[in-house]
């Protein structure tokens, strides 16, 4: 099956015996072949396929000396081989393993995946890459018994060049995916979400000419409303080529010769540039070419900034009517990954009258931001720097930085994405603030056109529990003063909400990145009964008026759109392994609070439109 995709590559050499890892972002405008489907799998709890009996990895020296990576069934009846992909069961790719096989529901460890494919290149000098949308959490990738590399990080794409290794027929692509949790990892061992393992997003073969467009960025030039800036990066031996760019619907085009580093820069001005906004999500076709290489994408142009305590979209004050979302499809169960999944989740957000979503707590699949572009929904994207991380561990920081880099590289052409969030609910402290500041600086250096934030915390005045204070020193470095608060759930009963007053240190837009309450869909009782739909609805009814009293209140993303799986939620008959703070139950049924928020947002939208 061939589809059109766009390739976006940045060469990054990873440690050890690995080859060059290539990030392929914005996968929507180039010829690719899907490797999705049923892959044979071997569940390997003791990592028998990776280590020999002295616990030495078979691929330590860069050469694979044994193990499952070789994918060699027994030659004849005398040959002792204790694995066989061909006769092993299969799992769907994309897909987490936990929701596909009851035996793997709680499994944390290694699963080996194997698929076979043929190659039919359209020209002999063309290059080939294998692309993974994501693998949680670690992936060792092998082609025809040779190691391509090891990727760490469960939610961002990675790719390897296989031009020389790929054969015409019967290539064996083997991936060991391991989802063990580690103290030094990002995220660390403790999260309030399910640790779904597997090849959770699309796997693709990407064919390009010898020199190709590996990267591009198209955006509105800062401080203007009619000037488009573009930067196109070439990769390959013949870099000083002419690069063409064309916006057919805007009737503007240009060509520029790339410099010796393969970079071509453009600046194009047009008299009529319709800007992207939730009310008018205008996207423009853009075509780029260099030699035989051609890309096609759709991009929106808008500006996002803050002024004092206001958020300005295209220069106008905007209130973010949001909701937080985990990457799960509650109807099917398991990780969401497809365009249809994105339609379901963002469709519900639209129905709530949202103009904004927080994609918590890690980068979601690329379909989400692409569809948000089309649907006119602004987006907060986030790295999994969650709760406690090893703040003084240089490797942990490098890992977090890489995940942030890969996310920005993937989505920096999406008009919908207006916030890069670097962390969630991290404990205040010097080492942590230094760590997060590094991430903020990194985000700004990579992309100065969006807001940078993090979900911080609030605490109560020791002398007055109704007096809430936000003064986290990290707030100095972010564009938004965003924090989570759970008055009425973890902090008192709903009636407390009405009596709260605030002290907020920063003169910045105030954004409430979480509030909420748990409710089991279908459980009805009075509004003081925990886990009843009435309790949750009451929290929503009371919270928005309370937040409105905060000077600079600029938006919120209540927690959360749908119930989601969490190993930390153990109350039988009520939670049963789900965090029940969803506005929609695990069965897709809406709870009372859904229409409460829907109505509040409707009134808010009408009032804002009348201003
Ligand atoms: C939070 C966390 C979120 C949890 C939520 C809860 O503050 O950021 O990941 O799921 O609270 O339900 O407790």
């Amino acid at each position: 099956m061939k589809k059109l995709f766009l390739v976006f590559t940045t060469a990054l050499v990873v440690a050890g015996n690995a080859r060059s890892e290539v990030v392929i972002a914005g996968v929507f405008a180039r010829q690719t072949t899907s490797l999705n489907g049923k892959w044979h799998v071997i569940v390997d709890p003791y990592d028998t396929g990776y280590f020999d009996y002295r616990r030495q990895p078979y691929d330590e020296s860069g050469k694979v000396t044994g193990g499952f990576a070789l994918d060699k069934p027994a030659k004849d009846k005398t040959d002792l081989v204790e694995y066989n992909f061909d006769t092993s069961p299969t799992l769907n790719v994309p897909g987490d393993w936990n929701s596909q096989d009851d035996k793997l529901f709680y499994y944390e460890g290694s699963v080996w995946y194997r698929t076979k494919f043929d190659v039919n290149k359209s020209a002999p000098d063309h290059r080939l890459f294998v692309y993974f949308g994501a693998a949680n959490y670690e992936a060792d990738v092998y082609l025809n018994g040779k190691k391509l590399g090891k990727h760490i990080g469960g939610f961002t794409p990675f790719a390897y060049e296989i031009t020389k290794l790929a054969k015409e027929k019967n290539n064996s692509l083997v991936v060991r995916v391991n989802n063990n949790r580690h103290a030094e990892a990002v995220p660390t061992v403790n999260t309030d979400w399910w640790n779904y393992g597997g090849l959770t997003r699309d796997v693709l073969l990407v064919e390009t000419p010898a020199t190709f467009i590996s990267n591009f960025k198209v955006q509105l030039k800062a401080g203007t409303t009619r000037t488009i800036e573009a930067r196109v990066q070439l990769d390959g031996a013949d870099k000083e080529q002419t690069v063409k760019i064309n916006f057919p619907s805007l009737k503007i085009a240009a060509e520029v010769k790339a410099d010796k580093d393969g970079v071509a820069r453009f600046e194009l001005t047009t008299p009529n540039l319709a800007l992207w906004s939730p009310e008018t999500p205008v996207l423009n076709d853009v075509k780029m070419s260099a030699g035989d290489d051609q890309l096609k994408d759709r991009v929106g142009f808008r500006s996002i900034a803050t002024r004092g305590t206001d958020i300005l979209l295209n220069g106008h004050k905007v209130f973010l009517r949001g909701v937080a979302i985990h990457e799960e499809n509650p109807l099917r169960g398991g990780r969401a990954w497809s365009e249809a999944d994105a339609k379901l989740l963002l469709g519900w957000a639209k129905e709530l009258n949202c103009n904004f979503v927080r994609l918590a707590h890690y980068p979601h699949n690329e379909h989400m931001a692409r569809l948000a572009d089309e649907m006119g929904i602004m987006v907060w994207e986030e790295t999994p720097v969650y709760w406690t991380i090893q703040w003084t561990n240089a490797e942990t920081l490098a890992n977090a930085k890489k995940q942030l880099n890969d996310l920005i590289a993937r989505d920096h052409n999406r008009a919908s994405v207006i916030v890069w969030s670097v962390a969630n609910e991290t404990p205040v402290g010097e080492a942590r603030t230094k760590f997060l500041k590094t991430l903020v600086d990194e985000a700004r250096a990579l992309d100065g056109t969006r807001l940078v934030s993090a979900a911080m915390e609030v605490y109560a005045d020791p002398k007055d529990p109704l007096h809430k204070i936000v003064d986290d020193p990290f707030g100095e470095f972010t564009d938004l003063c965003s924090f989570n608060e759970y008055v009425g759930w973890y902090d008192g009963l709903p009636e407390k909400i009405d009596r709260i007053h605030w002290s907020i240190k920063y003169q910045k837009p105030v954004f409430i990145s979480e509030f909420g309450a748990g409710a089991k869909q279908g459980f009805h009782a009075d509004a003081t009964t925990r886990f009843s739909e009435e309790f949750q609805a009451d929290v929503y009814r009371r919270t928005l008026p309370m937040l409105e009293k905060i000077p600079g209140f600029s938006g919120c993303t209540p927690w959360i759109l749908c119930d989601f799986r969490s190993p930390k939620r153990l109350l039988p008959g009520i939670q049963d392994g789900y965090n029940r703070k969803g506005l929609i139950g695990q069965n897709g049924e809406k709870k009372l609070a859904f229409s409460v928020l829907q109505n509040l947002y409707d009134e808010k939208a009408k009032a804002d439109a009348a201003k």
Side-chain angles (χ1 to χ4, degrees):
M1 181 181 67
K2 293 248 174 187
K3 281 192 205 155
L4 281 183
F5 281 93
L6 172 141
V7 176
F8 192 134
T9 62
T10 315
L12 287 169
V13 179
V14 288
N17 56 25
R19 285 158 202 255
S20 203
E21 183 179 312
V22 174
V23 177
I24 300 187
V27 194
F28 279 93
R30 185 179 286 280
Q31 189 88 325
T32 70
T33 307
S34 171
L35 295 180
N36 293 347
K38 292 202 181 297
W39 291 40
H40 285 282
V41 292
I42 301 174
V43 180
D44 186 15
Y46 277 38
D47 265 323
T48 300
Y50 190 75
F51 296 106
D52 67 15
Y53 82 123
R54 297 291 187 219
R55 201 71 184 167
Q56 294 304 308
Y58 286 115
D59 62 13
E60 201 168 31
S61 58
K63 200 166 172 292
V64 185
T65 55
F68 300 172
L70 293 179
D71 184 16
K72 276 205 173 137
K75 285 193 293 294
D76 54 42
K77 65 178 186 181
T78 66
D79 200 7
L80 175 63
V81 179
E82 294 182 276
Y83 70 94
N84 187 339
F85 280 107
D86 295 331
T87 52
S88 292
T90 60
L91 284 177
N92 290 325
V93 172
D96 63 85
W97 62 60
N98 316 71
S99 66
Q100 293 190 57
D101 180 346
D102 284 350
K103 288 199 296 300
L104 299 178
F105 184 61
Y106 288 108
Y107 183 64
E108 294 186 321
S110 289
V111 172
W112 292 81
Y113 285 78
R114 202 281 319 268
T115 193
K116 293 221 159 176
F117 64 90
D118 297 339
V119 168
N120 188 9
K121 281 205 288 187
S122 36
D125 70 332
H126 275 195
R127 295 165 70 182
L128 272 183
F129 302 86
V130 59
Y131 164 94
F132 297 86
N136 191 39
Y137 167 80
E138 238 176 66
D140 293 278
V141 186
Y142 308 85
L143 185 73
N144 300 331
K146 302 265 164 37
K147 183 145 192 176
L148 299 179
K150 181 195 239 354
H151 178 82
I152 291 175
F155 302 99
T156 38
F158 56 99
Y160 301 101
E161 180 156 11
I162 56 167
T163 310
K164 296 206 175 96
L165 277 182
K167 308 176 292 185
E168 223 170 275
K169 295 265 174 252
N170 210 27
N171 291 283
S172 159
L173 178 61
V174 173
V175 189
R176 166 184 172 262
V177 183
N178 178 287
N179 74 334
N180 284 129
R181 287 167 291 130
H182 303 280
E184 73 283 4
V186 183
T188 181
V189 289
N190 192 28
T191 62
D192 188 22
W193 73 79
W194 207 261
N195 181 24
Y196 291 109
L199 293 175
T200 50
R201 296 185 190 154
D202 297 289
V203 184
L204 305 166
L205 261 188
V206 183
E207 180 184 336
T208 72
T211 296
F212 67 102
I213 297 173
S214 60
N215 186 343
F216 75 89
K217 191 170 183 181
V218 182
Q219 65 194 36
L220 192 64
K221 185 177 178 184
T224 72
T225 52
R226 291 181 297 128
T227 303
I228 299 167
E229 267 180 349
R231 182 186 188 280
V232 176
Q233 173 76 57
L234 302 182
D235 180 326
D238 183 17
K239 292 205 174 65
E240 290 175 72
Q241 294 193 24
T242 299
V243 179
K244 296 181 183 165
I245 194 162
N246 179 9
F247 296 87
S249 55
L250 299 174
K251 300 195 171 48
I252 47 173
E255 51 181 81
V256 161
K257 197 166 168 225
D259 63 18
K260 61 177 184 358
D261 299 320
V263 177
R265 292 175 196 279
F266 298 86
E267 202 170 293
L268 302 103
T269 299
T270 166
N272 297 310
L273 187 60
L275 298 183
W276 184 98
S277 72
E279 293 72 34
T280 53
V282 182
L283 297 180
N284 308 274
D285 285 343
V286 53
K287 293 180 176 169
M288 276 156 284
S289 64
D292 287 346
D293 201 29
Q294 296 189 353
L295 304 185
K296 186 167 172 255
D297 202 358
R298 280 161 69 70
V299 290
F301 299 105
R302 53 107 194 91
S303 66
I304 190 77
T306 63
R307 188 178 55 207
T309 57
D310 293 341
I311 300 173
L312 304 179
L313 175 71
N314 299 326
H316 303 292
K317 185 173 167 171
V318 64
F319 181 88
L320 305 178
R321 304 186 307 272
V323 70
I325 303 181
H326 257 298
E327 194 189 35
E328 272 190 26
N329 177 328
L331 303 183
R332 187 186 63 233
R335 274 267 169 266
W337 60 271
S338 65
E339 201 178 343
D341 291 340
K343 276 191 180 140
L344 179 77
L345 297 170
L346 295 180
W348 277 326
K350 265 273 176 201
E351 213 183 316
L352 266 175
N353 294 314
C354 289
N355 63 3
F356 186 69
V357 291
R358 174 183 179 200
L359 303 184
H361 279 303
Y362 39 76
H364 288 212
N365 65 82
E366 192 180 334
H367 297 293
M368 289 294 274
R370 286 195 168 268
L371 195 65
D373 263 14
E374 302 277 345
M375 291 174 70
I377 301 178
M378 295 176 280
V379 175
W380 157 308
E381 294 200 330
E382 187 162 328
T383 65
V385 176
Y386 181 88
W387 288 350
T388 52
I389 291 282
Q390 290 189 349
W391 306 114
T392 53
N393 184 332
E395 264 180 43
T396 303
L397 178 60
N399 180 344
K401 257 183 164 174
K402 177 150 177 0
Q403 296 194 42
L404 179 67
N405 267 267
D406 292 350
L407 171 63
I408 293 177
R410 195 193 70 181
D411 283 352
H412 67 184
N413 285 316
R414 303 280 73 82
S416 54
V417 178
I418 60 164
V419 180
W420 304 123
S421 174
V422 299
N424 178 74
E425 282 189 357
T426 53
V428 176
E430 221 172 284
R432 160 278 200 172
T433 299
K434 198 167 155 222
F435 185 111
L436 297 190
K437 167 77 164 55
T438 311
L439 296 183
V440 166
D441 291 347
E442 183 80 359
R444 292 222 167 92
L446 291 166
D447 174 23
T449 70
R450 289 176 172 84
L451 309 180
V452 179
S453 199
M456 296 182 290
E457 288 180 300
V458 55
Y459 69 95
D461 184 342
K463 287 186 237 96
D464 174 8
L466 298 175
H467 177 206
K468 300 291 175 193
I469 302 170
V470 180
D471 63 2
D472 184 336
F474 177 61
E476 198 186 312
F477 306 116
T478 55
D479 293 309
L480 304 177
C481 176
S482 34
F483 56 88
N484 302 345
E485 67 85 9
Y486 280 94
V487 184
W489 184 253
Y490 295 122
D491 178 1
L493 287 168
E495 62 74 35
K496 184 173 178 183
I497 296 170
D498 310 341
R499 297 181 288 132
I500 296 296
H501 57 110
W502 296 89
S503 291
I504 297 195
K505 182 176 170 191
Y506 301 102
Q507 279 297 305
K508 298 185 180 187
V510 174
F511 183 81
I512 316 307
S513 30
E514 287 178 32
F515 71 83
K520 166 105 184 199
Q521 191 279 325
F523 172 49
H524 293 283
D526 67 84
T528 58
T529 304
R530 292 275 179 177
F531 292 107
S532 70
E533 287 199 33
E534 286 72 10
F535 188 114
Q536 186 191 39
D538 196 33
V539 167
Y540 273 75
R541 230 175 262 120
R542 292 172 190 261
T543 298
L544 275 163
M546 177 266 278
L547 298 179
E548 293 278 4
K549 287 189 235 155
I550 303 175
F553 176 49
S554 297
C556 56
T557 43
W559 193 254
I560 185 169
L561 183 65
C562 301
D563 288 358
F564 60 97
R565 287 248 183 231
S566 168
K568 296 175 77 67
R569 306 293 172 172
L570 302 168
L571 183 64
I574 299 281
Q575 293 177 316
D576 301 316
Y578 282 90
N579 183 313
R580 293 291 183 199
K581 295 190 190 70
L583 295 167
I584 297 176
Q586 106 223 28
N587 49 6
E589 295 291 324
K590 290 168 184 135
K591 305 178 193 173
L592 290 176
F594 187 97
S595 59
V596 172
L597 186 65
Q598 189 181 38
N599 292 336
L600 290 166
Y601 276 171
D602 183 42
E603 285 164 25
K604 188 88 195 148
K606 285 187 181 135
D608 285 351
K611 272 179 199 159

